[in-house]
Amino acid sequence: MLRKIDCVIEVHDCRIPFTGRNPMFKGALGVKPHLLVLNKMDLMDSTKRKDIRNRLSDEGIQNVIFTNCNKQESKTIRDVVKHVVGLINESERYQRTGAEDYNLMVCGIPNVGKSSVINAMRRMHLRKGKATRVGGVPGVTRGVISNIQVSNQPRIYLVDTPGIMTPFIPQIEGGMKLALCGTLQDHHIGHDIIADYLLYWLNKHSQFEYVEIFGMEQPSDDIMYVLTFLAKRLGKTQYIKALDGTREKRPNYDAAASYKLKMFRDGKLGKVVLDTELCENKAESD
């Protein structure tokens, strides 16, 4: 397939610009032009953008664009086509020499917004609607979809892929960051465990917006206290059958954890970059 591709667009979540990305990916592309699109910039701490670019540059990744596919007329989406055309024109096209159209491949780990990027490009350049399904859970795009036109001038076609890149997880905390951003399915980890990591991360980085948002009196590092508080506030309860056969009404901790995760993923608990330590380590070494 790569022989027919002029440029590879790798989409990733800008809240985890380093976590989950396979360091061997760029080398596997050979001489193919590569553009890294860090999506969901509306959810990130924008003060970290320079540090992210500097670290990626040290890793040999120069072509980076931050995007927000939720905005109808986002300049960042327009820049993707402009940047891709420039990369292709500056490279050897080999088997594609002389072809007037451009073939791109979009790839990345699940649920980072690949289909959203494609649909935003179509909306921007063709004034057309969705070409691929978009969802808030990993694995919505399940098969390779070819010949999606995203631009007329120049004529650009795109191949969407079903999260074909397996997340690179060398450490447990990396896996928790991926789960928190929804690139792993919640039931594989557990809502309560992911919510516990979120609480740990927010407290560690002094991001206490959740205290006021949830109506708490003060920050807490006790996940059971927080989930119990949320369950009662939201009226989320469930009946548990006791050993003697009676039914007991208790807080629904899973529902409370799911609510907390959704609030985070919607950006309502503050703008974040979960890889902030990696950015800071780079800045300190400079």
Side-chain angles (χ1 to χ4, degrees), residues 56-282:
L56 288 170
S57 178
D58 283 354
E59 295 177 0
I61 301 173
Q62 306 293 336
N63 304 306
V64 182
I65 289 182
F66 292 84
T67 60
N68 172 15
C69 295
N70 288 330
K71 293 182 67 174
Q72 287 292 323
E73 297 292 333
S74 175
K75 179 181 179 296
T76 59
I77 294 299
R78 193 181 299 277
D79 287 345
V80 170
V81 168
K82 181 179 178 182
H83 210 105
V84 161
V85 171
L87 288 174
I88 294 173
N89 290 338
E90 292 170 4
S91 66
E92 295 285 349
R93 298 186 72 186
Y94 300 102
Q95 294 95 339
R96 298 272 301 154
T97 300
E100 295 182 359
D101 60 334
Y102 300 112
N103 287 339
L104 314 179
M105 182 171 75
V106 174
C107 58
I109 64 177
N111 204 32
V112 291
K114 298 182 298 297
S115 296
S116 295
V117 168
I118 292 174
N119 292 331
M121 290 170 69
R122 280 174 59 85
R123 190 169 63 236
M124 172 73 71
H125 296 280
L126 296 178
R127 301 299 172 183
K128 292 185 178 180
K130 296 180 179 179
T132 65
R133 293 176 58 203
V134 177
V137 296
V140 169
T141 307
R142 296 189 178 278
V144 174
I145 304 171
S146 59
N147 298 326
I148 301 173
Q149 186 174 359
V150 293
S151 174
N152 268 329
Q153 296 179 342
R155 204 161 68 250
I156 298 177
Y157 296 93
L158 242 154
V159 175
D160 186 18
T161 57
I164 59 171
M165 294 173 62
T166 302
F168 179 68
I169 313 176
Q171 297 176 339
I172 293 176
E173 186 165 7
M176 295 307 301
K177 291 178 183 178
L178 289 164
L180 185 51
C181 289
T183 66
L184 304 177
Q185 296 200 15
D186 289 345
H187 68 268
H188 289 161
I189 313 295
H191 292 121
D192 56 336
I193 295 175
I194 304 172
D196 191 15
Y197 176 74
L198 170 58
L199 182 64
Y200 157 78
W201 193 94
L202 292 173
N203 287 336
K204 179 180 180 182
H205 296 277
S206 301
Q207 294 199 205
F208 300 124
E209 290 96 330
Y210 74 89
V211 176
E212 181 178 353
I213 292 169
F214 293 157
M216 299 170 60
E217 293 184 358
Q218 60 186 14
S220 172
D221 60 2
D222 185 343
I223 187 59
M224 292 309 299
Y225 168 80
V226 174
L227 294 182
T228 300
F229 180 91
L230 277 178
K232 290 180 178 178
R233 182 171 177 267
L234 297 170
K236 300 293 185 180
T237 58
Q238 61 183 343
Y239 284 93
I240 304 295
K241 192 172 183 179
L243 292 175
D244 60 3
T246 59
R247 298 177 71 207
E248 209 174 305
K249 190 176 181 180
R250 294 184 182 178
N252 190 329
Y253 300 117
D254 191 66
S258 297
Y259 170 79
K260 184 180 177 186
L261 294 178
K262 186 178 187 306
M263 291 287 285
F264 169 79
R265 291 166 180 168
D266 288 346
K268 295 178 180 177
L269 298 184
K271 312 289 187 181
V272 304
V273 172
L274 297 177
D275 283 342
T276 186
E277 286 95 346
L278 297 175
C279 299
E280 290 170 355
N281 289 343
K282 167 64 177 62

